[in-house]
């Protein structure tokens, strides 16, 4: 467990103000790139993986956008460190699982990340607070251009960037946003809305992407296909759809606040705030629900402990590896629940 | 609704410190007396009931122990007033139901009450905080002696005081205590203990006696038979049994606080305190559970909003008629839940 110092660095993207922040926590652009002269990681050999890791890290160290970045080899990190990076959206669960000759670089206040030898040789990502895909794209492109100075990427004029999985072929870009939809959930229309998004060619997932659970009404919305449209077109389409989702969420919250329902909503939100302040044992699942309600209350401008930004931060720091990183030791699930409750109380007391 | 002024008078018995107060909220001695020259209320006629009410009220007004008492005719009070008196343990639910020629007197900071034409002509009661049956008995006897100056009570040397129901025959005394047993309940041994009490000739009931619900682990423990033993013997037996119950409850709380269970208990208690501070809608049933936990936390000396006395008071003032009396109007159940939550928050904020 060696990444404790990351706890002290404010994450530039996670809890900062941004466009449509009442619904959209963050925007993320991920680009996949592969070296033209090496096999995809899944079909590679350890010596080849090693060479790719060294080559990409060397290129990244020369990339201006990644100046000051931290470079990490997965096999230097223990399971809690790796899980900590997953929880911070800096590496994927699948990179955390396979460690040999895998690495990651994290730069610019954690708003930039680069995974090496995950499904593709390079997966670089840029994050921005709120709904701000254009800026995130510019930032990701700056990293990509820096890497391209020394790396030769696999590319074909007809297929675009070549990737291990055909769904990424073409732009090799995944545009995703982390959204908070408690109003649509309380109104009982969330499932219909998510169905509609799927029909529009979008993918809706839980907090940590593919195969992860939806917690506290936080969803990742991203593009399904990377092929057949330009980067600008994909970004515009996702941005428009997410903007509409944010509108629908805002309408739902307004409706919940109108008339007799308001008191029920206040009861729910204030009870959640109280539970976060009172609990001595708090599972992550329960914490997520209460944090979700607290965040909605702040988004509505209600007087509550903490702030909108702190609610977003709590969603991050109450995750299991974060709780252990704060405690500076491995904890059993029961100990984690106690440490999580203490951490939440402490943070809420500071900002109340 | 005319009894609002009673809200402002501190109840001498309900929330004040007393012996074994961590478990025993109050002690109550009730004496039943009937006039020798009138039929029992159930077999009486309106003119006879009217005469009894006037005669007993006249005697009560001349009784020194009842100096300054308030005299109320039930048919002068609306349903909320009557329910309010029931909630304050000053009249019985059955007196509240039948109003014509029924009355009550309340004296000495609500520690003395007299019901006229309930099941018997006179039912007088004295209350004391904590486990203090002897003082309550002295107080009740002072009222009884005062009434006996002018009233001729039905009495036979062989049967003792004659009462409408044979279970009251003899001493016509009911000794009861209001106890708070959350520790025994959490330890899962409450049912066994209550069974044992029944075998010892005691009756265990809910908050408002016969046929009422147990709420928040508050129980009434009283003697089953009034016959065959002297007043002193009955008081000693109930006092001893209740003292033992208080010992068992204290042991249970100690055990719950030992080792790993302490954190679970803290979680429960602090969550209850938080729910009482956070809720915007609060049913009486839910409030009772949380107040019970809060009261136990105070009894254990933990730092919590409010105080032991306030927790006892909350159990009283969160009852439906009290909530309406505070609001100075009739409320629908939904409005009551909102008013109850507001009242609890206000009281806790004052004493935090």
């Amino acid at each position: 467990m060696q990444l404790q110092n990351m706890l002290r660095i404010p994450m530039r993207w996670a809890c900062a103000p941004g466009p449509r922040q009442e619904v959209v926590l963050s925007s993320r652009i991920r680009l996949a790139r592969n070296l033209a002269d090496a096999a995809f990681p899944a079909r590679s050999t350890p010596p080849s993986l090693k060479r790719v890791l060294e080559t990409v890290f060397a290129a990244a160290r020369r990339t201006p956008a990644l100046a000051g970045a931290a470079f990490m080899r997965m096999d230097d990190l223990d399971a809690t460190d790796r899980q900590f990076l997953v929880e911070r959206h800096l590496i994927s669960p699948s990179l955390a699982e396979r460690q040999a000759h895998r690495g990651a670089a994290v730069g610019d206040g954690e708003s930039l990340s680069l995974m090496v030898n995950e499904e593709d040789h390079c997966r670089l990502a840029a994050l921005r607070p709120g709904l701000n895909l254009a800026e995130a794209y510019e930032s990701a492109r700056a990293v990509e251009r820096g890497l391209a100075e020394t790396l030769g990427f696999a590319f074909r004029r007809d297929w675009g960037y070549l990737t291990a999985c055909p769904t990424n072929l073409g732009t090799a870009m995944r545009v995703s946003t982390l959204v908070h939809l408690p109003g649509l959930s309380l109104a009982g229309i969330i499932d219909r809305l998510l169905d509609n998004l799927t029909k529009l060619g979008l993918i809706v997932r839980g907090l940590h992407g593919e195969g992860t659970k939806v917690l506290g009404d936080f969803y990742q919305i991203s593009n399904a296909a990377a092929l057949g449209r330009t980067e600008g077109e994909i970004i515009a389409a996702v941005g428009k759809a997410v903007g509409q989702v944010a509108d629908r969420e805002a309408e739902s919250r307004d409706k919940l606040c109108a008339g007799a329902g308001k008191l029920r909503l206040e009861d729910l939100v204030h009870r959640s705030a109280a539970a976060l302040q009172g609990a001595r044992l708090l599972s992550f699942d329960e914490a997520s629900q209460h944090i979700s309600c607290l965040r909605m209350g702040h988004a509505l401008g209600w007087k509550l402990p903490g702030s909108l930004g702190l609610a977003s931060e709590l969603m991050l720091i109450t995750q299991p590896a974060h709780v252990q990183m704060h405690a500076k030791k491995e904890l059993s699930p029961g100990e984690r629940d106690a440490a999580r409750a203490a951490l939440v109380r402490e943070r809420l007391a500071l900002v109340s």
Side-chain angles (χ1 to χ4, degrees), chain A:
Chain A
M1 218 187 272
Q2 50 176 294
L3 300 179
Q4 260 99 358
N5 64 326
M6 289 177 70
L7 283 176
R8 286 193 297 272
I9 306 165
M11 296 177 69
R12 272 196 45 201
W13 62 271
C15 325
R20 308 300 311 256
Q21 62 177 344
E22 74 286 358
V23 178
V24 187
L25 282 85
S26 59
S27 298
R28 184 173 187 270
I29 298 284
R30 187 268 290 153
L31 301 174
R33 294 292 184 267
N34 287 282
L35 306 192
D37 61 357
F40 291 135
R43 301 186 60 98
S44 187
T45 59
S48 170
L49 288 169
K50 184 167 180 287
R51 187 183 62 81
V52 169
L53 180 61
E54 284 161 6
T55 309
V56 175
F57 265 16
R61 287 184 205 277
R62 285 192 297 270
T63 296
L66 288 174
F71 288 81
M72 291 164 277
R73 287 168 184 272
M74 287 302 115
D75 44 17
D76 287 343
L77 301 177
D78 66 19
T80 307
D81 280 328
R82 296 194 304 269
Q83 184 56 32
F84 176 75
L85 294 172
V86 170
E87 290 176 0
R88 285 171 102 79
H89 298 262
L90 298 170
I91 68 169
S92 65
S94 91
L95 191 76
E97 274 163 30
R98 282 190 227 90
Q99 296 108 47
H101 311 301
R102 267 75 183 177
V106 174
D108 195 24
E110 300 188 24
S111 74
L112 289 174
S113 71
L114 171 66
M115 290 192 285
V116 186
N117 288 331
E118 203 244 25
E119 191 178 288
D120 298 298
H121 295 140
C122 302
R123 286 203 160 189
L124 61 95
L127 284 145
R128 281 293 178 281
L131 181 56
N132 197 347
L133 294 167
E135 246 189 51
Y137 180 67
E138 284 314 310
S139 180
R141 277 281 292 148
V143 176
E144 198 256 359
R145 274 195 304 269
L147 295 175
E149 291 285 321
T150 40
L151 302 176
F153 292 140
F155 181 83
R156 270 178 60 158
R157 279 192 61 103
D158 47 354
W159 291 354
Y161 291 101
L162 303 187
T163 53
C165 176
T167 58
N168 288 313
L169 216 59
T171 60
M173 180 175 73
R174 163 90 13 112
V175 176
S176 65
T177 56
L178 181 58
V179 297
H180 182 214
L181 307 178
L184 290 162
S185 173
L186 284 169
I189 50 179
I190 187 82
D191 290 334
R192 210 172 61 209
L193 181 106
L194 300 182
D195 274 355
N196 287 342
L197 289 177
T198 308
K199 285 175 199 151
L200 286 172
L202 295 167
I203 296 176
V204 182
R205 291 163 169 169
L207 201 54
H208 290 291
E210 206 163 337
T212 63
K213 210 161 136 184
V214 173
L215 284 168
D217 303 311
F218 292 97
Y219 296 86
Q220 276 200 22
I221 300 178
S222 56
N223 60 314
L227 191 72
R229 287 187 294 176
T230 66
E231 283 87 348
E233 285 166 353
I234 296 170
I235 287 169
V238 174
K240 187 179 165 194
V242 172
Q244 286 168 346
V245 169
D247 291 342
R248 298 289 306 278
E249 170 65 19
E251 281 165 28
S252 282
R253 294 181 190 177
D254 285 348
K255 271 187 205 156
L256 289 167
C257 284
K262 186 171 187 201
L263 197 59
R264 279 197 299 276
L265 194 68
E266 287 177 338
D267 186 54
L268 184 75
V269 167
H270 285 280
R271 277 175 185 258
S272 280
L276 291 169
Q277 291 177 296
R280 261 55 181 170
L281 289 168
L282 200 53
S283 71
F284 180 57
D285 281 24
E286 189 194 350
S288 304
Q289 281 304 325
H290 294 318
I291 293 167
S292 171
C293 288
L294 177 67
R295 193 181 188 282
M296 177 170 54
H298 279 297
L300 290 165
W302 295 357
K303 191 171 155 12
L304 287 162
S307 63
L308 187 70
L310 178 60
S312 304
E313 188 191 335
L314 286 178
M315 200 59 205
L316 197 77
I317 66 172
T318 53
Q319 297 176 95
H322 272 75
V323 169
Q324 295 178 87
M325 208 59 99
H326 272 277
K328 300 195 174 73
K329 61 179 179 191
E330 307 283 339
L331 301 171
S332 70
E335 291 169 335
R336 277 209 293 270
D337 288 354
R340 179 178 293 112
L343 178 61
V344 168
R345 285 203 310 284
E346 185 191 298
R347 297 290 289 127
L348 283 174
L350 282 177
V351 192
S352 287

